[in-house]
Amino acid sequence: MSLLIMKPGLLTTVQDLGRYGYQQYGVIAGGAMDSYALRMANLLVGNDEREAGLEMTVTGPEITFAEPSLISICGGGLSPMLGEYPLPLWRTVYAPKGARLHFGRLSDGCRAYLAVAGGIAVPVQLNSRSTYLRAGIGGHQGRTLRSGDVLPIGTPTLRGNLWTEMLTREQGPESLSVSRWFPAYSLIPSYPETPVLRVIAGEEFLAFSEESRERFLSELFTILPQSDRMGYRLSGSSLSLVREQSLISSAVTFGTVQVPAGGNPIILMADRQTTGGYPKLAQVITADLPLLAQAKIGSAVRFRLITLQEAQKQLLQQELELRRLRLVLEHYHNG
Amino acid sequence: MAETTDDSEFMPQAPVNHGAARIVPLGDSAAIVILGDSISPQIHNRVRALCRYLEHHPFTGMTELVPSFTSIAVYYDGLGVLKAYQEYIRLGEECYPFLVVAALLEKILSLVESELPLQPRTVRIPVYYGGEAGPDLEFVARQNDLSPQEVIGIHSSAEYLVYMLGFAPGFPYLGGLPSSISTPRRLSPRVAIPAGSVGIAGDQAGVYPLETPGGWQLIGRTPISLFKPEAVPPTLLQAGDIVRFYPITRREFIEWGEDTP
């Protein structure tokens, strides 16, 4: 089983949920920028949600399926087409042998995730299949995909095979088929043009001037073109500390909002470094990281302060909903 | 926006204090245990002792540890923590994962205080100093009114403590650079520093495991790989190791065979 990359798109990499356990050695966690969309895509093809898929950014790739494949695309609206048919997102799709997946205009969000039943079976390195570009490890040869790449696909689960059987029952194995089932609307996020990101106060929150804190929580900040998978650089009001202080480097994480001396905040993203020494103003809550990951360069974001207790409640709720969906899907064998 | 920043409800979580240690949140999925406010071998030993304890006795839901100079970030899965420590939840509605983790860490801190310090491991690293491998050796010497040979002598006779790994896989932050050769960072960073480069930045010493941009003063290069993705653990050095550098010739460097300057 394999996928053939005909055109790579703007930035297409193999990602799973990240490389955990090695940050103490300076090895970044990485993983999907929008892990919610990847998890959902995996669940919809019967995979374990930790399987690797493709992260496709702004301009999608062109892919040929060497064998019949059960696929799902979740996340940003990159307008996928299978041959001449537009594909809905957040569905299970049966792609016949030789089918050609390509993408059109960007409607909302900026990253889509392709999961294939069986998962993208590139070698596991340091406990993950995620591409770590700077170290050249993980993913497909440690790099972004190129035309001509052939990606191996693993063995679908029993559930994946049953769904393939269900989807081919009416039209036969030669035709494209889209599932009638899909997750509840409440589980499908929308990606607003100007998202409001909930944050909790960071360790140095009170070291910032009151004026800076108020501006951070009331004004719009624009995502600058220098932003990437490592960090989003923002421009807006300049934020400053009550007095300059030098900090000892310590751990930073996905969503940490740090402010270097220049005053423009940087939000650390999936490929963040493991430790940092800039003051931590705030932390985007984990439940809102997908909205941030789908915010494109040039768009604006706004911040709203909530408590840690509320942030953890939101996260637990999201996890419980996904768990419920997983249970439902595990028992969905005849429909 | 309705929120004002003087609303105490939204202020940073009050730290959980345990003796000299403080426990604060790092976002909604990690807690940081701060064991001191300055870089010193004593605080580093406490960081290591707590890390070692947590590695051998992880609590359910703990996912990852990231030690740094004076603190340890403890990452956790909130759902796993709540499920495993039901007894904490009965304390009332106020209970959420961070509070459970802070309570667990407090208990662990009291246990760790009785632990004995570890015997450090010494790792010797060969360095080809100067020439094309150490383009800033002359500058470091001039800055400190020394000859390049004296800089090499001082750099290679000191003992360095690996405080933490960060910045890039396997990059060691080394303490113990003799102040007689300390040199500020370059005014403009280099776009690409070759893997193995041995550098100085202020009072810090380090070795670049991968080719990256960087602003440290480069005085030499080692033929040894500091990052080995196939090894367990994947890095030559670990926090707590003692490093000693020793000079090798250009010829020995080339014969080592892992890299050529």
Side-chain angles (χ1 to χ4, degrees), chain A residues 19-29 125-126 132 134-135 137 196 200-206 210 213-214 217-218 248-254 256 272-275 280 283-287 302-309 311-313 315-316 319-320 323, chain B residues 1 3 5-6 9-13 24-29 32 34 37-39 55 63-71 73 75-76 78-79 82-83 93-98 164-171 210-213 227 229-231 233-235 237-238:
Chain A
R19 181 167 280 112
Y20 291 96
Y22 294 94
Q23 292 195 82
Q24 61 173 301
Y25 304 114
V27 177
I28 63 168
Q125 267 190 303
L126 298 177
Y132 179 3
R134 194 157 87 170
I137 62 166
V196 178
I200 56 177
E203 219 179 312
E204 278 77 47
F205 186 74
L206 291 175
E210 199 177 328
R213 282 183 262 146
E214 264 165 27
L217 295 170
S218 58
I248 299 170
S249 292
S250 67
V252 290
T253 189
F254 199 165
T256 301
R272 71 219 174 254
Q273 70 276 23
T274 55
T275 55
K280 297 166 196 163
Q283 175 76 40
V284 178
I285 70 167
T286 306
R302 203 183 268 289
F303 299 99
R304 188 163 76 81
L305 195 62
I306 64 166
T307 61
L308 173 61
Q309 181 169 15
Q312 295 203 314
K313 204 176 115 191
L315 180 57
L316 293 181
E319 288 301 317
L320 286 171
R323 186 166 293 204
Chain B
M1 293 288 102
E3 277 75 28
T5 51
D6 54 21
E9 184 190 356
F10 296 111
M11 289 296 105
Q13 183 89 16
V24 299
L26 171 66
D28 51 27
S29 304
I32 297 190
I34 302 166
D37 293 314
S38 61
I39 299 175
E55 269 167 10
T63 53
E64 174 148 35
L65 290 176
V66 184
S68 55
F69 288 111
T70 57
S71 65
Y75 288 82
Y76 58 86
L79 203 53
L82 283 189
K83 270 181 66 184
E93 291 226 346
E94 283 297 294
C95 201
Y96 46 99
F98 173 76
M164 65 179 211
L165 304 178
F167 171 69
F171 184 97
L210 301 175
E211 183 182 297
T212 62
F227 177 55
E230 311 305 332
T235 53
L237 300 172
Q238 281 112 61

Side-chain angles (χ1 to χ4, degrees), chain A residues 162-174:
Chain A
L162 281 165
W163 291 348
T164 295
E165 200 181 289
M166 282 158 66
L167 284 172
T168 52
R169 205 173 286 155
E170 282 174 30
Q171 309 268 353
E174 307 298 325

Side-chain angles (χ1 to χ4, degrees), chain A:
Chain A
M1 294 276 285
S2 53
L3 289 184
L4 314 178
I5 306 298
M6 316 304 282
K7 288 183 193 159
L10 184 63
L11 173 66
T12 306
T13 55
V14 177
Q15 298 292 343
D16 59 16
L17 297 183
R19 181 167 280 112
Y20 291 96
Y22 294 94
Q23 292 195 82
Q24 61 173 301
Y25 304 114
V27 177
I28 63 168
M33 288 277 272
D34 178 351
S35 60
Y36 184 87
L38 175 62
R39 291 167 76 183
M40 194 69 96
N42 272 323
L43 290 177
L44 291 174
V45 294
N47 287 350
D48 185 293
E49 58 192 72
R50 289 165 298 188
E51 288 289 352
L54 291 188
E55 179 177 276
M56 308 170 289
T57 318
V58 181
T59 305
E62 194 180 309
I63 294 169
T64 301
F65 295 97
E67 287 90 20
S69 303
L70 194 70
I71 64 169
S72 179
I73 300 167
C74 295
L78 269 59
S79 310
M81 312 260 292
L82 202 64
E84 58 205 276
Y85 301 102
L87 284 187
L89 298 172
W90 311 97
R91 297 263 183 152
T92 307
V93 174
Y94 169 79
K97 181 183 166 73
R100 186 179 65 99
L101 176 68
H102 56 116
F103 292 82
R105 273 191 50 222
L106 184 66
S107 59
D108 60 332
C110 66
R111 287 169 226 277
Y113 293 83
L114 168 70
V116 183
I120 310 266
V122 293
V124 172
Q125 267 190 303
L126 298 177
N127 214 11
S128 167
R129 294 188 164 96
S130 284
T131 313
Y132 179 3
L133 293 172
R134 194 157 87 170
I137 62 166
H140 182 65
Q141 301 169 4
R143 58 167 173 77
T144 57
L145 297 185
R146 294 182 198 146
S147 307
D149 283 345
V150 179
L151 298 181
I153 303 300
T155 310
T157 59
L158 179 63
R159 204 174 328 134
N161 287 333
L162 281 165
W163 291 348
T164 295
E165 200 181 289
M166 282 158 66
L167 284 172
T168 52
R169 205 173 286 155
E170 282 174 30
Q171 309 268 353
E174 307 298 325
S175 308
L176 158 73
S177 172
V178 177
S179 68
R180 275 176 298 231
W181 70 85
F182 54 94
Y185 288 116
S186 62
L187 289 176
I188 299 178
S190 58
Y191 305 119
E193 190 59 39
T194 306
V196 178
L197 303 167
R198 288 168 293 180
V199 296
I200 56 177
E203 219 179 312
E204 278 77 47
F205 186 74
L206 291 175
F208 284 84
S209 71
E210 199 177 328
E211 197 195 344
S212 289
R213 282 183 262 146
E214 264 165 27
R215 282 202 304 249
F216 175 66
L217 295 170
S218 58
E219 294 178 12
L220 284 171
F221 288 83
T222 305
I223 300 171
L224 293 173
Q226 301 92 302
S227 301
D228 56 18
R229 280 183 46 91
M230 188 172 177
Y232 275 12
R233 290 168 179 272
L234 305 182
S235 80
S237 296
S238 179
L239 307 174
S240 56
L241 297 163
V242 176
R243 77 190 87 78
E244 277 307 317
Q245 50 174 312
S246 157
L247 298 171
I248 299 170
S249 292
S250 67
V252 290
T253 189
F254 199 165
T256 301
V257 183
Q258 54 177 27
V259 185
N264 279 329
I266 298 173
I267 313 183
L268 299 176
M269 302 300 284
D271 281 356
R272 71 219 174 254
Q273 70 276 23
T274 55
T275 55
Y278 292 125
K280 297 166 196 163
L281 169 61
Q283 175 76 40
V284 178
I285 70 167
T286 306
D288 284 354
L289 289 175
L291 296 185
L292 176 61
Q294 294 288 355
K296 29 182 176 294
I297 283 169
S299 68
V301 296
R302 203 183 268 289
F303 299 99
R304 188 163 76 81
L305 195 62
I306 64 166
T307 61
L308 173 61
Q309 181 169 15
E310 180 60 21
Q312 295 203 314
K313 204 176 115 191
Q314 294 294 326
L315 180 57
L316 293 181
Q317 204 169 317
Q318 198 180 67
E319 288 301 317
L320 286 171
E321 275 168 9
L322 271 175
R323 186 166 293 204
R324 208 168 295 144
L325 175 73
R326 205 158 61 212
L327 277 173
V328 170
L329 288 173
E330 272 164 20
H331 295 93
Y332 192 74
H333 285 169
N334 41 23

Side-chain angles (χ1 to χ4, degrees), chain B residues 38-127:
Chain B
S38 61
I39 299 175
S40 76
Q42 290 72 31
I43 291 169
H44 168 80
N45 275 339
R46 300 190 65 200
V47 168
R48 283 186 69 211
L50 179 58
C51 257
R52 184 176 51 153
Y53 186 91
L54 285 169
E55 269 167 10
H56 292 117
H57 315 276
F59 57 84
T60 311
M62 182 182 110
T63 53
E64 174 148 35
L65 290 176
V66 184
S68 55
F69 288 111
T70 57
S71 65
I72 303 165
V74 182
Y75 288 82
Y76 58 86
D77 150 38
L79 203 53
V81 166
L82 283 189
K83 270 181 66 184
Y85 300 94
Q86 294 287 338
E87 72 264 28
Y88 288 88
I89 297 165
R90 267 183 276 126
L91 296 176
E93 291 226 346
E94 283 297 294
C95 201
Y96 46 99
F98 173 76
L99 294 186
V100 177
V101 169
L104 290 165
L105 288 171
E106 246 195 299
K107 203 189 269 180
I108 289 166
L109 277 167
S110 3
L111 295 171
V112 172
E113 270 151 23
S114 56
E115 295 245 321
L116 291 169
L118 289 172
Q119 262 322 82
R121 183 178 71 124
T122 299
V123 182
R124 287 167 48 82
I125 296 181
V127 181

